[in-house]
Amino acid sequence: MTIKPKAKKFRIRRNPATAGGSPATEPAAARAVPAPSAQSSADAASASAQMAPASSRQAETIPSDAAQVSGSASRAPSGSDKAKAAPKPGDALSGEVSSARETQLETNMDAIRSEGLTGRQLRMARRVAQKHNLPATSDFEAVRLLREKGIDPFKHANMLELVVPQNKAKPDGVPGGDSRVQLPQTVPTAKTNLPSTDLSPAERRNREIQEIQQDIARRRRRKLVLLMGRLAFFVMLPTLITGYFFYVVATPMYATKSAFLVLKADGAGAVSGLLSGTQFATSQDSIAVQGYLESKGAMLRLDDEIGFKSHFSQDWIDPIQRLDPNATNEQAYKTYKRNVKIGYDPTEGVVRMEVSAADPEVSADFSRRLISYAQEEVNHLSEQKRADQVRESEAALVLAETKRREAQRRLVELQQDGTVLDPEGVILSLRSQINTFEVQLQQKELELAALMDNTRPNRAKVDGVEADIARLTVVINRLNDRMTDASEGENSLANSRVQIQMAQADLATRDLMLQSALQQVESTRMEANRQVRYLTTAVAPVASQEPSYPRKFENTILAFLIFSGIYLLCSLTASILREQVSS
């Protein structure tokens, strides 16, 4: 809203005094102006009275041309006085005579007054004249000066305010006069003067603010109606369709819940004793069982034994959950994953299974068959592992026994091929005999030395000792020759002794290996027994009496939230794109 500028305070220009008169003795003679008529005086007074309140409301001190005209009318003499005051031809000129230009100006002023301009237009003309620095003493003079300059004083006015009906007022008593009241008017159309319909700036501002608020409220209501329509079409309608499907069309499904555990046999080992009671001992087996039950192989086996596809291909099942009679394995597998839910809890080691079907007994039967498949899978996994370990340990035992028999057979052959059963014993016996004879020889030599120490030794004793020494030397030489013969050659006692010792060492090694293989077989069998897995059913499958799916209310609310989220995302995207395009 534009605030109108305040006009300056204008002072009425008065005519200068005559040259012959003094200001102290006689008043200054005004410029001769044609005296207005009584009707014009009354109209000017009425216009001045109507414009005065508007000027006081706007706090502007703008003199009214009507007031000036009224003042001039009050100061102008009447017709009789004028006639009396008129100068005689012989009298001296006491006043100024109006020129042709002044007379034309007065005529133009009268034409402007007769246009029926409103007070607002006159004030606008005064402001435009002030803006262009024109010396206007009244509103009508401002209009005249602006028109002389070629400036439209009402150029920036509202087009609706410029369309003002012409003043067709007629004198009193003349029929056909226009009785409509145009307020405010510079020239009244009737005797009765009504108050001005112009509002003060504060009231006009309040009215404009109220119109703006009403327009904003109207636009808000329109936008709210459009928003409700979009929400009803994009959110509520799909939600109602979804709720109708869940409550009326959807086929109820009966769910059978069960739970089972994969346990390990108790072991005597320290490590197995520590882990046997925890879920970490069988977590891999449980995960393997879960993967098998969720596989396509389990679905095909269930279809071959019970008829999984035929059950979900019945005509009374709703179109969304119904399976085509000629459906492929992939389509049937999608239905299988949607109706068979298996989860493994690592904190407790429990495998939970939920099987849904259109018939409660069929659902329970499906659950029992899947548990049996899991039991077979567990047995197959542990059995293969145990069989591999036991088979390898038994093969090692057989090899150890074979090698031992070969070593023992070689030792026997060596003992049979030699002339002496125990060459080592023979060699030891010869060494002991040589040692004994050498000791006796040393004693005889000492005895001979003792006899020879005498001055006159006994010859008989000396000869006897020397004979003994000679015999002992011969025996020792013969034994040494025998030892030499037994230690040389391929068939010597030393060679036979070494071969027999090697065969005995090989036999001892094979005995140790055989003993280790036996221990390995026993430990493998014990470990295989500890690795046996057992599937224990914690919660047996029981047919339900009430349908578990679909969850009508929850699914409807979920559909509402999904559609609301989609609408919100689309609205935000559209708003962002609109803002980017507009910027």
Side-chain angles (χ1 to χ4, degrees), residues 424-459:
E424 185 177 2
V426 173
I427 293 173
L428 291 175
S429 176
L430 291 175
R431 285 181 179 179
S432 63
Q433 290 178 12
I434 291 171
N435 291 332
T436 302
F437 289 136
E438 287 180 353
V439 172
Q440 292 178 4
L441 179 61
Q442 291 175 0
Q443 291 176 359
K444 293 296 181 180
E445 289 177 352
L446 291 174
E447 185 179 356
L448 178 62
L451 291 175
M452 295 300 294
D453 288 338
N454 296 325
T455 305
R456 295 178 68 180
N458 187 355
R459 192 64 190 171

Short mmCIF file of all heavy atoms in Angstrom, two decimals, residues 424-459:
data_model
loop_
_atom_site.label_atom_id
_atom_site.label_comp_id
_atom_site.label_asym_id
_atom_site.label_seq_id
_atom_site.Cartn_x
_atom_site.Cartn_y
_atom_site.Cartn_z
N GLU A 424 76.56 -113.15 16.96
CA GLU A 424 76.99 -112.18 17.97
C GLU A 424 77.39 -112.91 19.24
O GLU A 424 78.41 -112.57 19.89
CB GLU A 424 75.88 -111.18 18.23
CG GLU A 424 76.28 -110.06 19.19
CD GLU A 424 75.18 -109.04 19.37
OE1 GLU A 424 74.10 -109.22 18.77
OE2 GLU A 424 75.41 -108.06 20.09
N GLY A 425 76.63 -113.93 19.61
CA GLY A 425 76.98 -114.72 20.81
C GLY A 425 78.31 -115.46 20.64
O GLY A 425 79.11 -115.54 21.57
N VAL A 426 78.54 -115.99 19.41
CA VAL A 426 79.79 -116.70 19.16
C VAL A 426 80.97 -115.73 19.27
O VAL A 426 82.00 -116.04 19.87
CB VAL A 426 79.74 -117.36 17.77
CG1 VAL A 426 81.10 -117.95 17.40
CG2 VAL A 426 78.67 -118.45 17.74
N ILE A 427 80.83 -114.59 18.71
CA ILE A 427 81.93 -113.60 18.76
C ILE A 427 82.18 -113.17 20.19
O ILE A 427 83.34 -113.04 20.64
CB ILE A 427 81.58 -112.41 17.87
CG1 ILE A 427 81.57 -112.82 16.39
CG2 ILE A 427 82.56 -111.26 18.07
CD1 ILE A 427 81.09 -111.77 15.44
N LEU A 428 81.15 -113.00 20.95
CA LEU A 428 81.33 -112.63 22.36
C LEU A 428 82.03 -113.75 23.14
O LEU A 428 82.87 -113.48 24.01
CB LEU A 428 79.97 -112.31 22.98
CG LEU A 428 79.28 -111.03 22.48
CD1 LEU A 428 77.90 -110.89 23.10
CD2 LEU A 428 80.14 -109.82 22.80
N SER A 429 81.69 -115.00 22.82
CA SER A 429 82.32 -116.14 23.51
C SER A 429 83.82 -116.21 23.20
O SER A 429 84.64 -116.40 24.09
CB SER A 429 81.65 -117.45 23.09
OG SER A 429 82.29 -118.56 23.68
N LEU A 430 84.18 -115.98 21.92
CA LEU A 430 85.59 -116.00 21.55
C LEU A 430 86.37 -114.87 22.25
O LEU A 430 87.49 -115.05 22.71
CB LEU A 430 85.74 -115.87 20.03
CG LEU A 430 85.26 -117.08 19.19
CD1 LEU A 430 85.35 -116.77 17.70
CD2 LEU A 430 86.07 -118.32 19.54
N ARG A 431 85.77 -113.73 22.31
CA ARG A 431 86.44 -112.62 22.97
C ARG A 431 86.64 -112.90 24.46
O ARG A 431 87.70 -112.59 25.03
CB ARG A 431 85.61 -111.35 22.78
CG ARG A 431 85.73 -110.76 21.39
CD ARG A 431 84.90 -109.49 21.27
NE ARG A 431 85.04 -108.91 19.92
CZ ARG A 431 84.40 -107.80 19.55
NH1 ARG A 431 83.57 -107.18 20.39
NH2 ARG A 431 84.59 -107.34 18.32
N SER A 432 85.65 -113.50 25.06
CA SER A 432 85.82 -113.84 26.49
C SER A 432 86.92 -114.88 26.70
O SER A 432 87.71 -114.79 27.65
CB SER A 432 84.49 -114.33 27.06
OG SER A 432 84.08 -115.53 26.42
N GLN A 433 87.01 -115.87 25.82
CA GLN A 433 88.06 -116.90 25.95
C GLN A 433 89.45 -116.27 25.76
O GLN A 433 90.40 -116.57 26.50
CB GLN A 433 87.85 -118.00 24.92
CG GLN A 433 86.63 -118.87 25.19
CD GLN A 433 86.39 -119.92 24.11
OE1 GLN A 433 87.30 -120.14 23.26
NE2 GLN A 433 85.26 -120.61 24.17
N ILE A 434 89.59 -115.43 24.75
CA ILE A 434 90.89 -114.78 24.52
C ILE A 434 91.30 -113.96 25.72
O ILE A 434 92.48 -113.97 26.15
CB ILE A 434 90.82 -113.93 23.24
CG1 ILE A 434 90.70 -114.83 22.00
CG2 ILE A 434 92.05 -113.03 23.10
CD1 ILE A 434 90.42 -114.09 20.72
N ASN A 435 90.37 -113.27 26.29
CA ASN A 435 90.67 -112.45 27.47
C ASN A 435 91.12 -113.35 28.63
O ASN A 435 92.06 -113.00 29.37
CB ASN A 435 89.44 -111.63 27.88
CG ASN A 435 89.11 -110.54 26.86
OD1 ASN A 435 90.00 -110.05 26.15
ND2 ASN A 435 87.83 -110.17 26.78
N THR A 436 90.49 -114.50 28.79
CA THR A 436 90.84 -115.40 29.89
C THR A 436 92.26 -115.95 29.71
O THR A 436 93.08 -115.95 30.65
CB THR A 436 89.83 -116.56 29.98
OG1 THR A 436 88.53 -116.02 30.15
CG2 THR A 436 90.19 -117.50 31.12
N PHE A 437 92.55 -116.40 28.50
CA PHE A 437 93.90 -116.95 28.25
C PHE A 437 94.98 -115.87 28.34
O PHE A 437 96.10 -116.15 28.78
CB PHE A 437 93.95 -117.63 26.88
CG PHE A 437 93.17 -118.94 26.83
CD1 PHE A 437 92.33 -119.24 25.76
CD2 PHE A 437 93.28 -119.88 27.86
CE1 PHE A 437 91.63 -120.43 25.74
CE2 PHE A 437 92.59 -121.07 27.81
CZ PHE A 437 91.74 -121.35 26.76
N GLU A 438 94.69 -114.70 27.95
CA GLU A 438 95.67 -113.61 28.08
C GLU A 438 95.96 -113.32 29.54
O GLU A 438 97.12 -113.02 29.92
CB GLU A 438 95.15 -112.37 27.36
CG GLU A 438 95.21 -112.47 25.84
CD GLU A 438 94.68 -111.22 25.15
OE1 GLU A 438 94.14 -110.33 25.89
OE2 GLU A 438 94.80 -111.10 23.92
N VAL A 439 94.98 -113.39 30.36
CA VAL A 439 95.20 -113.19 31.82
C VAL A 439 96.10 -114.29 32.38
O VAL A 439 97.04 -114.03 33.16
CB VAL A 439 93.86 -113.14 32.56
CG1 VAL A 439 94.07 -113.13 34.07
CG2 VAL A 439 93.08 -111.91 32.13
N GLN A 440 95.85 -115.55 31.99
CA GLN A 440 96.69 -116.66 32.45
C GLN A 440 98.12 -116.52 31.94
O GLN A 440 99.09 -116.81 32.67
CB GLN A 440 96.10 -117.99 31.99
CG GLN A 440 94.78 -118.34 32.65
CD GLN A 440 94.18 -119.66 32.14
OE1 GLN A 440 94.84 -120.36 31.31
NE2 GLN A 440 93.01 -120.03 32.64
N LEU A 441 98.26 -116.05 30.68
CA LEU A 441 99.58 -115.86 30.12
C LEU A 441 100.36 -114.80 30.90
O LEU A 441 101.57 -114.95 31.17
CB LEU A 441 99.48 -115.48 28.64
CG LEU A 441 100.80 -115.22 27.91
CD1 LEU A 441 101.68 -116.49 27.92
CD2 LEU A 441 100.52 -114.76 26.49
N GLN A 442 99.69 -113.76 31.28
CA GLN A 442 100.37 -112.71 32.06
C GLN A 442 100.80 -113.24 33.44
O GLN A 442 101.88 -112.89 33.93
CB GLN A 442 99.43 -111.50 32.20
CG GLN A 442 99.20 -110.75 30.92
CD GLN A 442 98.16 -109.63 31.07
OE1 GLN A 442 97.62 -109.45 32.19
NE2 GLN A 442 97.90 -108.90 29.98
N GLN A 443 99.96 -114.10 34.05
CA GLN A 443 100.34 -114.68 35.35
C GLN A 443 101.57 -115.58 35.21
O GLN A 443 102.49 -115.53 36.06
CB GLN A 443 99.17 -115.47 35.93
CG GLN A 443 98.02 -114.60 36.36
CD GLN A 443 96.83 -115.42 36.86
OE1 GLN A 443 96.90 -116.68 36.83
NE2 GLN A 443 95.79 -114.73 37.36
N LYS A 444 101.61 -116.37 34.13
CA LYS A 444 102.76 -117.26 33.94
C LYS A 444 104.05 -116.45 33.66
O LYS A 444 105.14 -116.80 34.15
CB LYS A 444 102.51 -118.23 32.79
CG LYS A 444 101.41 -119.26 33.06
CD LYS A 444 101.79 -120.18 34.21
CE LYS A 444 100.70 -121.22 34.48
NZ LYS A 444 101.11 -122.11 35.60
N GLU A 445 103.90 -115.39 32.95
CA GLU A 445 105.06 -114.55 32.68
C GLU A 445 105.57 -113.91 33.97
O GLU A 445 106.79 -113.77 34.18
CB GLU A 445 104.71 -113.48 31.65
CG GLU A 445 104.52 -114.04 30.24
CD GLU A 445 104.11 -112.98 29.25
OE1 GLU A 445 103.82 -111.82 29.70
OE2 GLU A 445 104.03 -113.25 28.03
N LEU A 446 104.70 -113.54 34.81
CA LEU A 446 105.12 -112.99 36.11
C LEU A 446 105.80 -114.06 36.98
O LEU A 446 106.80 -113.78 37.68
CB LEU A 446 103.90 -112.42 36.83
CG LEU A 446 103.26 -111.14 36.22
CD1 LEU A 446 101.99 -110.79 36.96
CD2 LEU A 446 104.26 -109.99 36.25
N GLU A 447 105.25 -115.26 36.93
CA GLU A 447 105.86 -116.36 37.71
C GLU A 447 107.25 -116.69 37.18
O GLU A 447 108.20 -116.94 37.96
CB GLU A 447 104.96 -117.59 37.64
CG GLU A 447 105.46 -118.74 38.52
CD GLU A 447 104.50 -119.94 38.45
OE1 GLU A 447 103.43 -119.83 37.77
OE2 GLU A 447 104.82 -120.97 39.08
N LEU A 448 107.45 -116.69 35.85
CA LEU A 448 108.75 -116.95 35.27
C LEU A 448 109.74 -115.86 35.65
O LEU A 448 110.93 -116.13 35.94
CB LEU A 448 108.63 -117.06 33.74
CG LEU A 448 109.92 -117.29 32.97
CD1 LEU A 448 110.56 -118.65 33.41
CD2 LEU A 448 109.66 -117.30 31.46
N ALA A 449 109.27 -114.63 35.65
CA ALA A 449 110.15 -113.51 36.02
C ALA A 449 110.58 -113.65 37.48
O ALA A 449 111.73 -113.35 37.84
CB ALA A 449 109.42 -112.20 35.79
N ALA A 450 109.68 -114.15 38.34
CA ALA A 450 110.01 -114.34 39.75
C ALA A 450 111.07 -115.45 39.91
O ALA A 450 111.98 -115.36 40.75
CB ALA A 450 108.76 -114.66 40.55
N LEU A 451 110.99 -116.52 39.14
CA LEU A 451 111.94 -117.61 39.23
C LEU A 451 113.30 -117.16 38.71
O LEU A 451 114.35 -117.57 39.23
CB LEU A 451 111.43 -118.82 38.45
CG LEU A 451 110.19 -119.54 39.03
CD1 LEU A 451 109.73 -120.62 38.08
CD2 LEU A 451 110.50 -120.14 40.40
N MET A 452 113.29 -116.37 37.69
CA MET A 452 114.54 -115.94 37.10
C MET A 452 115.27 -114.91 37.95
O MET A 452 116.48 -114.66 37.76
CB MET A 452 114.28 -115.36 35.68
CG MET A 452 113.75 -116.38 34.70
SD MET A 452 114.87 -117.77 34.43
CE MET A 452 116.24 -116.98 33.65
N ASP A 453 114.60 -114.38 38.89
CA ASP A 453 115.25 -113.43 39.78
C ASP A 453 116.22 -114.14 40.77
O ASP A 453 117.09 -113.47 41.37
CB ASP A 453 114.21 -112.63 40.56
CG ASP A 453 113.48 -111.64 39.65
OD1 ASP A 453 114.04 -111.28 38.58
OD2 ASP A 453 112.34 -111.19 39.99
N ASN A 454 116.10 -115.44 41.00
CA ASN A 454 117.00 -116.19 41.90
C ASN A 454 118.37 -116.34 41.25
O ASN A 454 118.48 -116.43 40.02
CB ASN A 454 116.40 -117.57 42.23
CG ASN A 454 115.07 -117.42 43.01
OD1 ASN A 454 114.94 -116.50 43.81
ND2 ASN A 454 114.15 -118.31 42.76
N THR A 455 119.39 -116.44 42.15
CA THR A 455 120.76 -116.60 41.62
C THR A 455 120.88 -117.96 40.95
O THR A 455 121.43 -118.09 39.85
CB THR A 455 121.79 -116.47 42.74
OG1 THR A 455 121.59 -115.23 43.41
CG2 THR A 455 123.20 -116.53 42.20
N ARG A 456 120.35 -118.93 41.61
CA ARG A 456 120.39 -120.27 41.06
C ARG A 456 118.96 -120.78 41.00
O ARG A 456 118.45 -121.41 41.92
CB ARG A 456 121.25 -121.19 41.93
CG ARG A 456 122.72 -120.75 41.94
CD ARG A 456 123.50 -121.63 42.83
NE ARG A 456 123.59 -122.99 42.26
CZ ARG A 456 124.22 -123.98 42.82
NH1 ARG A 456 124.81 -123.81 44.01
NH2 ARG A 456 124.26 -125.16 42.21
N PRO A 457 118.18 -120.41 39.89
CA PRO A 457 116.77 -120.83 39.83
C PRO A 457 116.65 -122.34 39.62
O PRO A 457 117.57 -122.97 39.10
CB PRO A 457 116.24 -120.06 38.63
CG PRO A 457 117.41 -119.81 37.77
CD PRO A 457 118.63 -119.71 38.67
N ASN A 458 115.46 -122.84 39.99
CA ASN A 458 115.18 -124.26 39.82
C ASN A 458 114.82 -124.44 38.35
O ASN A 458 113.86 -123.89 37.82
CB ASN A 458 114.00 -124.65 40.72
CG ASN A 458 113.76 -126.16 40.71
OD1 ASN A 458 114.42 -126.93 39.96
ND2 ASN A 458 112.87 -126.61 41.55
N ARG A 459 115.67 -125.30 37.77
CA ARG A 459 115.51 -125.43 36.32
C ARG A 459 114.22 -126.12 35.98
O ARG A 459 113.58 -125.80 34.97
CB ARG A 459 116.69 -126.23 35.75
CG ARG A 459 116.78 -126.17 34.24
CD ARG A 459 117.05 -124.74 33.81
NE ARG A 459 116.92 -124.56 32.35
CZ ARG A 459 116.94 -123.41 31.75
NH1 ARG A 459 117.11 -122.32 32.50
NH2 ARG A 459 116.86 -123.34 30.44
#
